[in-house]
C-alpha cells in the first residue's frame, strides 16, 4: 500500500512537472508571437506615416501653380501700385473709378524711379482723323506720355498696333453738348489717367486739336510751369455773369462765378480735386443747364474757389472766335499755309511764371479732316516735328 502511494505521488509529481513544462514552453511562444505582431504593426505604421508625410510635402512643394492670381500677391508687390493698368477697359463704374483714382500717397518721395508723364486726354465722338499727325508728334518719346480716348460707347476703334491710339479707349458713356454729361466725360478721362501714378500733367483735347510745337518744347513748357492752365474769368455780360442763377447759393455766389475754355491743362493735384468733388458737382448739375453751359463754368468756378493761386487763368489751346457764333472757326485744307501759322505765332503776349512771354499757345483747334495732308507736309518745317 505504501508502495502504491509512493507510486501515485511520483506519478502526480510527474504530471505536475509535465504541466509546468508545457506552460513554460507555451508562454515564451505566445510572448514571441505577441512581440512579433507588435513589431510588424509598428513597422507598418512607420511606413504609412513616412509616405503620408512625403505625399503632403510633395503636394505642397511641387504642385503645379494655380492659374488664379490672388489679389494679395499683387498688393504685396510695390510694382502693382505704380505699374499702369494693362487694360483700360475695366469694369468699374464712375463711383468706383473716382474713389480708386483719388488715392494720394502721403509720403512725397517715391520708392522707385518715377518719370513724370503728360496724359493726353481726347474727348471725341468717334474717330480721330488727325491721328497720323499725333503719331508723328509723339514718336520717340515713349515713357513720357500716356494716351486716353473717350468716344461714344458704340464706337469701335480700328487703329493699327503701331498707332499711339491702339487700345487706348476707356469705358465711356453718352455725352450731350452743354450738359453735365460733358463734364462727366472729362472727369472720367481724368480719373482713368490718374490710375497711372506717373501721370503728372493732364491735357484735355478734342479730335480737331493739333500740337503747335514739338514734344520737347511742350514738355519743357508744362513741366517748368508753376501754374496749371485753365481760364477762369469773371466775365460781365449775358455770357458770363448773365448765366449765373441765385439757386447756386450758398455753395457758389455771384462773386465766385467764373467762365473759361473747356480745354485745359492741370497738374496732378488739381486733377484729384476735379474727380473727388462732391460739394459743387450736385449744384452745377441741378442748376447750370442751357443756356448755362456747364463745361465752361464748373471747373473754372470750383478751382478758383479752392486753389486760385495755382491757376494761370488762361488756356493753352488757340481758337479763332473772330467769325462769331456759338462755335469757333474750323480750318480745312485750303487754310493750311505757312502764313496761317505765322498769324497764330505772332502777336502773342501772356504771363508765364508771372513773367511776360510771347509763347502762349501749345495747341490749336479746330482742324477738319481735310487739313491732315497739308499739316503733315508742313509739320517738320513749321511745327518742328
Amino acid at each position: 500500500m505504501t508502495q502504491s502511494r509512493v507510486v501515485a505521488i511520483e506519478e502526480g509529481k510527474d504530471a505536475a512537472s509535465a504541466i509546468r513544462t508545457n506552460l513554460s514552453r507555451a508562454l515564451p511562444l505566445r510572448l514571441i508571437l505577441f512581440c512579433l505582431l507588435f513589431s510588424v504593426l509598428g513597422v507598418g505604421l512607420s511606413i504609412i506615416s513616412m509616405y503620408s508625410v512625403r505625399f503632403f510635402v510633395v503636394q505642397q512643394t511641387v504642385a503645379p501653380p494655380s492659374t488664379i492670381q490672388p489679389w494679395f500677391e499683387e498688393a504685396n508687390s510695390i510694382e502693382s501700385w505704380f505699374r499702369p493698368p494693362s487694360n483700360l477697359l475695366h469694369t468699374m463704374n464712375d463711383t468706383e473709378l473716382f474713389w480708386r483714382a483719388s488715392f494720394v500717397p502721403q509720403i512725397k518721395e517715391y520708392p522707385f524711379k518715377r518719370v513724370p508723364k503728360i496724359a493726353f486726354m481726347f474727348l471725341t465722338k468717334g474717330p480721330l482723323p488727325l491721328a497720323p499727325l499725333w503719331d508723328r508728334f509723339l514718336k520717340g518719346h515713349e515713357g513720357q506720355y500716356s494716351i486716353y480716348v473717350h468716344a461714344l460707347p458704340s464706337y469701335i476703334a480700328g487703329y493699327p498696333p503701331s498707332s499711339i491710339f491702339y487700345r487706348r479707349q476707356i469705358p465711356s458713356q453718352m455725352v450731350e453738348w452743354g450738359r453735365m454729361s460733358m463734364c462727366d466725360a472729362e472727369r472720367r478721362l481724368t480719373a482713368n489717367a490718374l490710375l497711372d501714378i506717373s501721370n503728372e500733367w493732364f491735357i484735355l483735347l478734342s479730335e480737331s486739336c493739333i500740337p503747335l510745337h514739338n514734344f520737347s518744347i511742350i514738355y519743357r513748357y508744362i513741366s517748368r510751369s508753376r501754374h496749371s492752365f485753365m481760364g477762369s474769368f469773371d466775365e460781365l455780360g449775358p455770357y458770363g455773369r448773365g448765366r449765373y442763377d441765385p439757386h447756386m447759393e450758398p455753395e457758389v455766389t455771384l462773386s465766385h462765378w467764373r467762365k473759361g475754355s473747356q480745354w485745359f491743362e492741370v497738374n496732378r493735384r488739381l486733377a484729384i480735386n476735379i474727380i473727388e468733388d462732391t460739394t459743387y458737382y450736385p449744384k452745377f448739375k441741378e442748376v447750370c443747364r442751357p443756356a448755362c453751359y456747364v463745361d465752361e463754368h464748373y471747373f473754372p468756378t470750383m478751382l478758383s474757389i479752392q486753389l486760385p493761386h495755382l491757376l494761370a487763368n488762361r488756356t493753352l489751346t488757340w481758337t479763332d472766335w473772330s467769325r462769331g457764333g456759338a462755335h469757333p472757326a474750323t480750318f480745312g485744307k485750303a487754310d493750311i499755309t505757312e502764313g496761317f501759322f505765322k498769324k497764330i505765332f505772332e502777336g502773342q503776349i501772356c504771363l508765364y511764371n508771372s513773367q511776360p512771354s510771347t509763347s502762349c499757345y501749345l495747341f490749336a483747334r479746330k482742324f477738319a479732316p481735310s487739313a491732315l495732308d497739308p499739316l503733315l507736309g508742313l509739320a517738320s518745317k513749321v511745327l518742328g516735328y
Side-chain angles (χ1 to χ4, degrees):
M1 183 174 179
T2 301
Q3 186 177 0
S4 299
R5 181 178 299 174
V6 171
V7 171
I9 291 172
E10 288 181 352
E11 288 180 350
K13 184 178 178 179
D14 291 340
S17 177
I19 290 172
R20 285 195 298 270
T21 301
N22 290 336
L23 284 173
S24 64
R25 289 176 179 175
L27 284 174
L29 181 62
R30 289 180 181 177
L31 182 62
I32 291 172
L33 289 175
F34 178 78
C35 291
L36 182 62
L37 179 63
F38 183 81
S39 300
V40 170
L41 182 61
V43 171
L45 289 174
S46 299
I47 293 173
I48 292 173
S49 299
M50 179 180 66
Y51 277 97
S52 298
V53 171
R54 183 176 299 177
F55 173 78
F56 286 112
V57 169
V58 168
Q59 287 292 321
Q60 293 177 2
T61 58
V62 302
S66 172
T67 57
I68 301 175
Q69 297 296 327
W71 67 268
F72 53 82
E73 288 188 2
E74 285 291 322
N76 284 339
S77 170
I78 183 62
E79 186 181 356
S80 67
W81 289 98
F82 66 82
R83 184 177 61 245
S86 58
N87 184 6
L88 297 185
L89 296 178
H90 54 73
T91 59
M92 290 184 285
N93 59 36
D94 282 354
T95 301
E96 295 166 338
L97 172 64
F98 295 164
W99 178 82
R100 174 62 184 88
S102 66
F103 288 2
V104 179
Q106 297 303 305
I107 298 178
K108 301 305 179 183
E109 293 186 7
Y110 293 90
F112 59 92
K113 184 178 180 180
R114 178 180 184 260
V115 177
K117 297 191 295 185
I118 297 176
F120 294 98
M121 310 182 301
F122 290 84
L123 181 59
T124 175
K125 292 181 180 179
L128 291 162
L130 303 178
L133 188 70
W134 284 95
D135 283 332
R136 178 188 292 188
F137 164 71
L138 291 171
K139 185 177 181 180
H141 298 284
E142 293 76 11
Q144 293 181 285
Y145 69 86
S146 302
I147 299 291
Y148 302 88
V149 180
H150 188 293
L152 293 176
S154 59
Y155 176 69
I156 300 176
Y159 303 106
S162 59
S163 174
I164 60 171
F165 298 102
Y166 181 66
R167 294 183 176 177
R168 302 309 297 175
Q169 196 165 322
I170 67 168
S172 62
Q173 296 183 27
M174 292 296 297
V175 175
E176 189 175 357
W177 182 74
R179 303 256 178 198
M180 199 54 160
S181 59
M182 181 74 75
C183 294
D184 290 337
E186 295 170 10
R187 297 176 85 204
R188 201 172 294 123
L189 275 165
T190 305
N192 276 277
L194 280 166
L195 296 180
D196 184 345
I197 200 168
S198 292
N199 286 332
E200 184 64 27
W201 306 285
F202 304 78
I203 303 176
L204 182 67
L205 302 157
S206 75
E207 72 274 14
S208 65
C209 288
I210 67 166
L212 290 176
H213 304 277
N214 64 44
F215 180 83
S216 297
I217 291 176
I218 289 178
Y219 187 93
R220 189 183 312 117
Y221 192 100
I222 291 175
S223 62
R224 294 182 178 181
S225 174
R226 298 196 299 266
H227 303 94
S228 289
F229 296 91
M230 178 179 290
S232 182
F233 303 100
D234 182 8
E235 183 178 306
L236 303 177
Y239 304 115
R241 288 199 173 199
R243 293 176 177 175
Y244 176 78
D245 188 323
H247 290 97
M248 295 293 297
E249 294 180 353
E251 289 82 2
V252 179
T253 65
L254 180 59
S255 63
H256 291 146
W257 189 251
R258 294 293 184 271
K259 180 183 178 181
S261 171
Q262 176 184 4
W263 314 104
F264 61 76
E265 179 276 328
V266 294
N267 62 20
R268 191 171 184 91
R269 178 179 178 181
L270 293 183
I272 292 173
N273 278 62
I274 286 174
I275 62 106
E276 73 177 5
D277 172 49
T278 57
T279 301
Y280 303 98
Y281 179 90
K283 187 68 72 169
F284 274 92
K285 184 176 182 179
E286 177 187 357
V287 178
C288 186
R289 301 180 181 182
C292 173
Y293 298 102
V294 68
D295 55 282
E296 295 181 355
H297 296 281
Y298 172 36
F299 297 149
T301 300
M302 177 185 70
L303 294 179
S304 68
I305 294 173
Q306 296 175 330
L307 298 163
H309 62 287
L310 296 182
L311 299 179
N313 198 20
R314 63 183 177 90
T315 181
L316 292 177
T317 303
W318 178 89
T319 52
D320 181 5
W321 292 94
S322 63
R323 302 179 187 180
H327 301 281
T330 299
F331 304 101
K333 181 178 182 179
D335 298 302
I336 309 305
T337 64
E338 290 185 40
F340 171 80
F341 286 103
K342 186 177 181 180
K343 291 180 180 178
I344 294 178
F345 294 133
E346 287 182 348
Q348 297 183 15
I349 186 68
C350 59
L351 291 179
Y352 178 75
N353 287 338
S354 304
Q355 296 297 319
S357 174
T358 57
S359 181
C360 303
Y361 297 109
L362 304 183
F363 308 95
R365 64 187 301 268
K366 302 172 55 176
F367 292 87
S370 64
L372 177 61
D373 288 339
L375 284 171
L376 289 171
L378 287 175
S380 60
K381 180 180 180 180
V382 177
L383 305 178
Y385 58 88

